[in-house]
């Protein structure tokens, strides 16, 4: 039997609240990576003029689910109370550090990933550290970040690289501590989720005041313009120019909708899109990809490129899921 969701009680929404922007949700567990995610989430909430929700999943005690315990069971404990104490302490510290932010909390019985996935249904974005408490040393990404990136109902920003070792919560609250400098790099492939990724990437670049790099990785010459893909007929400079024209067409009207964002078209010939985007992440502030690009199997929730990036990129990664008409 699945334990019920247990979120913090909130007042009934007024019409004004109903039309307010959806909040930014951030996963918290008290780890250094969690604090790194909190600072980024605060920046995103401020930039988008919305509120912040601290979400946490706690391991429900099966004895408390059913109201009984066998005689051999140890002293009863309340995992929800322990989780609530941790979340409340974190929320108070966030409010003290950022007194202008409206901060609420949500608790969900179950895993941290389930908590964030559930909270994502009503969120603008979910922000999560790449590895929280309980992750093994050297692990590139934790299970909570990986599962949230695959199953959330809204864009997920995974804050990479993971913080090494136990350190105190970050104290520098300036913008540069929350947002890594560098352009926003977006992977473009012409897929449906790629269109959603473009919108998100342009919006992020505009909020950050940085250029956008539209990157298209191709391994075959465009045959409709240059003939068969034969080594003796390959004209790489001409192929690059042709792919730039193709890339510009895939951007559609987004450059016109965000005239403040300088755009670089970056076609790359390679058979490994994941590796090329990981390399591009070295100098990027954020890499954005759709949840599943061209070539992904139907029903696959996170494509191989997205999976590789959230595990190995040198900067934060945003995985953009298409939102259905009912918001899920």
């Amino acid at each position: 039997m699945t334990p019920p969701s247990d979120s913090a009680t909130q007042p009934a929404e007024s019409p004004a609240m109903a039309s307010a922007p959806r909040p930014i949700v951030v996963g918290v567990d008290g780890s250094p990576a969690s604090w790194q995610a909190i600072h980024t989430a605060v920046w995103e909430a401020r930039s988008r003029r919305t509120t912040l929700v601290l979400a946490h999943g706690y391991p429900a005690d099966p004895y408390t689910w059913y109201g009984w315990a066998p005689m051999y069971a140890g002293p009863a404990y309340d995992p929800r109370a322990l989780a609530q104490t941790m979340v409340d302490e974190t929320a108070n510290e966030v409010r003290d550090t950022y007194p202008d932010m409206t901060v609420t909390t949500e608790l969900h019985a179950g895993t941290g990933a389930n908590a964030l996935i559930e909270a994502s249904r009503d969120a603008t974005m979910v922000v999560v550290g790449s590895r929280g408490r309980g992750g093994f040393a050297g692990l590139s990404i934790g299970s909570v970040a990986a599962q949230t990136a695959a199953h959330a109902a809204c864009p997920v920003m995974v804050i990479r690289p993971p913080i090494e070792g136990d350190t105190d919560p970050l104290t520098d609250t300036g913008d540069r501590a929350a947002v890594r400098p560098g352009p926003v790099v977006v992977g473009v492939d012409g897929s449906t989720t790629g269109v959603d990724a473009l919108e998100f990437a342009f919006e992020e670049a505009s909020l950050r005041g940085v250029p956008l790099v539209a990157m298209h990785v191709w391994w075959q010459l465009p045959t409709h313009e240059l003939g068969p893909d034969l080594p003796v007929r390959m004209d790489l400079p001409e192929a690059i120019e042709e792919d730039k024209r193709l890339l510009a067409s895939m951007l559609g009207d987004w450059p016109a909708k965000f005239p403040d964002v300088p755009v670089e078209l970056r076609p790359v010939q390679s058979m490994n899109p994941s590796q090329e985007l990981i390399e591009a992440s070295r100098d990027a502030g954020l890499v954005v990809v759709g949840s599943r690009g061209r070539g992904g199997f139907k029903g696959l929730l996170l494509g191989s490129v997205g999976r590789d990036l959230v595990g190995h990129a040198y900067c934060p990664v945003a995985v953009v899921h298409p939102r259905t008409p009912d918001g899920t």
Side-chain angles (χ1 to χ4, degrees):
M1 180 175 180
T2 302
S5 171
D6 184 9
S7 58
T9 303
Q10 300 292 337
E13 281 193 350
S14 66
M17 291 173 63
S19 61
R22 296 173 186 247
I24 302 296
V25 171
V26 58
V28 299
D29 65 1
S31 67
S34 169
W35 274 101
Q36 189 181 21
I38 287 172
H39 290 304
T40 301
V42 168
W43 189 92
E44 292 288 346
R46 280 174 164 172
S47 301
R48 297 169 185 272
R49 302 181 183 276
T50 188
T51 59
L52 183 70
V53 176
L54 310 185
H56 178 74
Y58 64 93
D61 182 351
Y63 301 142
T64 62
W65 295 350
Y66 305 114
W68 65 273
M71 294 181 61
Y72 55 79
Y77 79 104
D78 186 351
R80 184 190 184 284
L82 295 174
Q84 188 69 64
T85 298
M86 185 277 294
V87 171
D88 286 345
E89 290 176 351
T90 303
N92 289 335
E93 189 163 354
V94 173
R95 294 184 185 106
D96 290 342
T97 306
Y98 300 101
D100 60 315
M101 281 303 307
T102 299
V103 181
T104 58
T105 65
E106 283 189 15
L107 287 181
H108 296 267
T111 67
N114 286 340
L116 295 178
I117 293 166
E118 183 65 28
S120 74
R121 301 180 188 279
D122 298 312
T124 292
M125 180 196 316
V126 171
V127 183
V128 61
S130 59
R131 190 177 69 242
R133 292 208 180 278
F136 296 101
L139 198 64
S140 61
I141 185 170
S143 61
V144 172
Q147 292 176 39
T148 304
H151 297 279
C154 69
V156 177
M157 188 177 294
V158 179
I159 306 304
R160 290 195 49 81
I163 293 177
E164 298 299 335
D166 282 333
T167 60
D168 293 329
L170 303 181
T171 56
D172 182 359
T173 59
D175 283 354
R176 293 301 95 183
V179 177
R180 175 182 163 116
V184 172
V185 174
V186 58
V188 182
D189 64 0
S191 65
T192 301
T193 56
V195 174
D196 296 304
L198 277 173
E199 179 180 8
F200 182 91
F202 269 98
E203 186 175 30
E204 275 292 317
S206 180
L207 292 173
R208 296 172 182 229
V210 298
L212 181 138
V213 176
M215 192 166 171
H216 181 233
V217 181
W218 53 275
W219 66 274
Q220 210 173 15
L221 292 180
T223 57
H224 60 285
E225 292 288 340
L226 300 175
D229 184 19
L230 300 175
V232 295
R233 297 189 57 179
M234 180 177 291
D235 185 338
L236 188 57
E238 187 178 351
I240 290 174
E241 289 304 312
E242 176 61 25
D243 196 61
K244 278 187 177 181
R245 290 190 288 270
L246 176 64
L247 185 50
S249 69
M250 287 192 287
L251 294 185
D253 297 332
W254 292 115
K257 293 178 180 178
F258 291 89
D260 60 316
V261 177
V263 178
E264 175 191 341
L265 303 179
R266 186 180 295 179
V268 178
Q269 185 192 23
S270 172
M271 294 187 69
N272 193 337
S274 294
Q275 185 59 39
E276 297 299 335
L277 286 166
I278 289 170
E279 283 301 312
S281 73
R282 291 180 183 273
D283 300 316
L286 177 70
V287 174
V288 181
V289 291
S291 57
R292 188 180 69 249
R294 290 198 182 279
F297 295 102
K298 185 177 181 181
L300 195 64
L301 297 175
L302 183 61
S304 60
V305 173
R307 187 171 59 251
D308 291 343
L309 283 167
V310 297
H312 301 285
Y314 295 95
C315 73
V317 175
V319 177
V320 181
H321 294 261
R323 191 181 288 278
T324 57
D326 64 353
T328 62

